[in-house]
């Protein structure tokens, strides 16, 4: 969610059960709203423990109370975090809920409702019809998020953050996608190391027929011919890159792939004729690489290794050779391919967290093996490695650094926007030059006995 709040989009991985992935999508959609049209609603007979459960799962405790426990029921009160503090979990909500409410009538505009909420100094503003039935809800925390994160990537209509998630191309992924769409998914990334396959083409056709409003990002591809197949199938966007990621060894082991800059330029030039944007996926190590990808025609970049060391990235920090690092592995690594294998009972018992059953942890398909079409292979051939990356701090500081760095780069180039940059490349006003080995040395830090490299402050 931090990526969305700062103007990017984080993609939820699918190397987990479909239920767990759907829960993550639901959490993103509930994080920020305009009018909340599907709020959690309880009845007076529910207990404090039910509010605590909602708070633990979804992160909030401001819950309206209606006679039916559902949207459309008569509004009786509201329960907030303060109402349940120091209360027994078995206490009925009828004894703790606040009944002196400030509401707004159905049909009120978002701006008017925000003004009422601001002046009331309350945390929640229920919207009711003329009969006092709850129709939606407005939250003060969403006002604060809107103020604190003006660049947030969100739907203009609902003010909810965009939710993006990855799926594979197997039959089980269709069932997975159904759960994700039900949870509110906006963008689906079809995850495959080689996107130009009958599996992915069939998947795109099925998604477009079943969920016509869902945005589909297909890939990965590196040639015009690969891109043409996916564009013809109905892809809304393409991921470009094969073997260029920091933890990918496809080009080395398989002798398959393409230099990333060449791939981005070729595919972007072709896809632009059909109005299909591309994402440069792989090889982004610094601000300069982002600018190069944009100049070559990419509409966005996908960053794995660059963000892997941030606080919000999965995994725990540990120390390696005196430096604070996090583990980072490729989907093509043996470690990723072996995830989810049944283990000894003692290990399985120790893996249980948050009430997730053994079955949920062991029965979902391994996304790494399906990504490389090797589910049934007796021998797993690695196309990635596992390693660690240095601590980069919070993404909430790191992404603004990247954003500001791109702005400075465009300023130095002499263009005002990404569109002007790409137009300048096409017109020959912005040019790439071949740098010799000595020129690259000259362009880096040199001639010092020692130095400290701080990227941002």
């Amino acid at each position: 969610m931090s990526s969305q709040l700062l103007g990017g989009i984080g993609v939820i991985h699918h190397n987990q059960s479909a239920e767990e992935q759907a829960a993550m999508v639901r959490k993103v959609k509930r994080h920020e709203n305009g009018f909340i049209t599907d709020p959690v609603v309880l009845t007076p007979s529910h207990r404090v423990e039910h509010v605590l459960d909602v708070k633990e799962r979804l992160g909030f405790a401001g819950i309206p109370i209606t006679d039916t426990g559902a949207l459309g029921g008569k509004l009786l009160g509201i329960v907030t975090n303060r109402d349940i503090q120091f209360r027994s979990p078995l206490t009925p909500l009828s004894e703790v809920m606040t009944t002196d409410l400030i509401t707004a009538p159905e049909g009120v505009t978002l701006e008017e409702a925000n003004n009422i909420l601001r002046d009331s100094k309350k945390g929640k503003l229920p919207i009711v019809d003329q009969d006092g039935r709850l129709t939606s809800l407005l939250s003060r925390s969403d006002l604060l998020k809107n103020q604190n994160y003006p660049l947030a990537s969100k739907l203009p209509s609902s003010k909810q953050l965009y939710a993006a998630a990855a799926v594979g191309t197997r039959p089980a992924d269709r069932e997975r996608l159904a759960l994700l769409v039900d949870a509110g998914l906006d963008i689906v990334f079809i995850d495959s190391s080689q996107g130009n396959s009958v599996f992915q083409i069939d998947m795109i056709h099925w998604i477009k027929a079943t969920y016509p409003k869902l945005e589909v990002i297909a890939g990965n591809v590196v040639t015009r011919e690969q891109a043409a197949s996916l564009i013809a199938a109905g892809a809304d966007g393409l991921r470009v890159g094969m073997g260029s990621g920091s933890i990918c060894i496809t080009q080395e082991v398989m002798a398959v792939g393409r230099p990333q800059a060449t791939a981005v330029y070729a595919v972007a030039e072709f896809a632009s004729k059909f109005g299909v944007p591309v994402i440069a996926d792989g090889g982004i190590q610094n601000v300069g690489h982002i600018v190069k990808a944009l100049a070559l025609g990419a509409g966005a970049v996908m960053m794995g290794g660059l963000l892997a060391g941030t606080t919000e990235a999965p995994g725990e920090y540990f120390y390696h050779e005196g430096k604070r690092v996090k583990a980072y592995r490729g989907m093509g690594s043996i470690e990723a391919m072996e995830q989810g294998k049944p283990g000894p009972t003692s290990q399985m018992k120790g893996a249980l967290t948050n009430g997730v059953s053994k079955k949920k942890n062991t029965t979902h398909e391994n996304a790494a093996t399906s990504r490389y079409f090797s589910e049934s292979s007796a021998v797993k051939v690695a196309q990635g490695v596992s390693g660690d990356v240095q601590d980069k701090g919070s993404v909430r500081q790191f992404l603004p650094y990247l954003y500001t760095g791109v702005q400075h780069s465009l300023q130095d180039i002499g263009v005002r926007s990404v569109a002007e940059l790409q137009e300048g490349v096409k017109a020959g006003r912005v040019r790439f030059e071949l740098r010799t080995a000595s020129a690259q040395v000259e362009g880096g830090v040199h001639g010092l006995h020692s130095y400290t490299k701080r990227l941002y402050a």
Side-chain angles (χ1 to χ4, degrees), residues 9 11-12 21 25 29 155 161-168 173-191 202-218 230 233-238 277:
I9 292 183
V11 183
I12 300 170
Q21 192 179 20
V25 171
K29 299 305 292 183
L155 289 163
L161 297 177
Y162 283 107
V167 300
D173 288 295
R174 301 188 180 191
E175 299 174 10
R176 176 186 291 268
L177 186 58
L179 290 178
L180 300 180
V181 171
D182 185 60
L185 188 69
D186 301 300
I187 307 166
V188 60
F189 281 67
I190 302 181
D191 189 32
D202 289 345
M203 188 68 168
I204 296 172
H205 285 148
W206 178 81
I207 293 174
K208 283 301 180 182
T210 311
Y211 308 108
K213 294 184 179 180
L214 191 63
E215 295 285 331
V216 179
I217 309 300
L230 302 186
D236 298 298
L238 298 173

Side-chain angles (χ1 to χ4, degrees), residues 288-306:
H289 289 159
I290 297 174
V291 176
K292 290 174 184 176
L294 296 175
L296 290 166
V301 296
M302 181 163 274
M303 297 174 288
L306 194 61

Side-chain angles (χ1 to χ4, degrees), residues 328-441:
Y328 179 47
R329 70 184 186 190
M331 287 293 283
S333 67
I334 295 298
E335 289 80 2
M337 291 185 181
E338 290 182 337
Q339 179 176 318
K341 279 188 175 182
T345 304
S346 60
Q347 291 181 3
M348 295 309 302
K349 184 176 181 181
L352 297 181
T353 56
N354 298 327
V356 178
S357 68
K358 296 178 185 178
K359 184 176 181 181
K360 286 184 180 179
N361 276 315
T362 59
T363 58
H364 69 86
E365 290 188 358
N366 185 294
T369 54
S370 62
R371 188 177 197 271
Y372 293 92
F373 308 106
S374 58
E375 304 97 316
S376 59
S377 300
V379 177
K380 306 299 182 189
V381 179
Q383 296 191 44
V385 300
S386 294
D388 55 63
V389 288
Q390 192 167 349
D391 176 18
K392 292 186 176 72
S394 173
V395 74
R396 302 197 180 200
Q397 280 79 49
F398 193 69
L399 281 185
Y401 151 69
L402 296 178
Y403 174 79
T404 305
V406 170
Q407 288 182 316
H408 282 296
S409 180
L410 297 186
Q411 175 183 309
D412 290 344
I413 292 171
V415 296
R416 295 178 180 271
S417 65
V418 173
E420 189 176 333
L421 170 67
Q422 294 176 342
E423 183 58 37
V425 173
K426 292 178 183 177
R429 296 190 300 273
V430 178
R431 298 181 300 276
F432 284 83
E433 286 192 353
L434 180 66
R435 301 174 71 200
T436 64
S438 59
Q440 293 179 49
V441 171

Side-chain angles (χ1 to χ4, degrees), residues 17 67 76 110 131 141 148 177 194 237 252 282 290 302 305 341 371 382 429 436 446:
S17 72
D67 57 351
L76 303 177
L110 183 59
D131 297 321
S141 62
N148 295 334
L177 186 58
Q194 203 289 82
E252 173 191 340
I290 297 174
M302 181 163 274
K341 279 188 175 182
R371 188 177 197 271
R429 296 190 300 273
T436 64
H446 60 277

Side-chain angles (χ1 to χ4, degrees), residues 11-74:
V11 183
I12 300 170
H13 72 89
H14 63 119
N15 208 11
Q16 58 185 320
S17 72
E19 292 78 11
E20 290 170 328
Q21 192 179 20
M24 290 185 179
V25 171
R26 199 170 287 110
K27 190 172 182 179
V28 171
K29 299 305 292 183
R30 288 189 180 277
H31 188 74
E32 185 174 350
N33 300 271
F35 287 116
I36 305 171
T37 57
D38 60 341
V40 175
V41 184
L42 299 176
T43 67
S45 60
H46 278 93
R47 297 186 295 271
V48 168
E49 63 183 347
H50 295 111
V51 180
L52 294 174
D53 176 65
V54 171
K55 184 179 179 181
E56 182 180 354
R57 289 187 294 109
L58 302 176
F60 59 85
I63 301 174
I65 309 299
T66 67
D67 57 351
T68 62
L71 196 69
K74 190 169 184 62

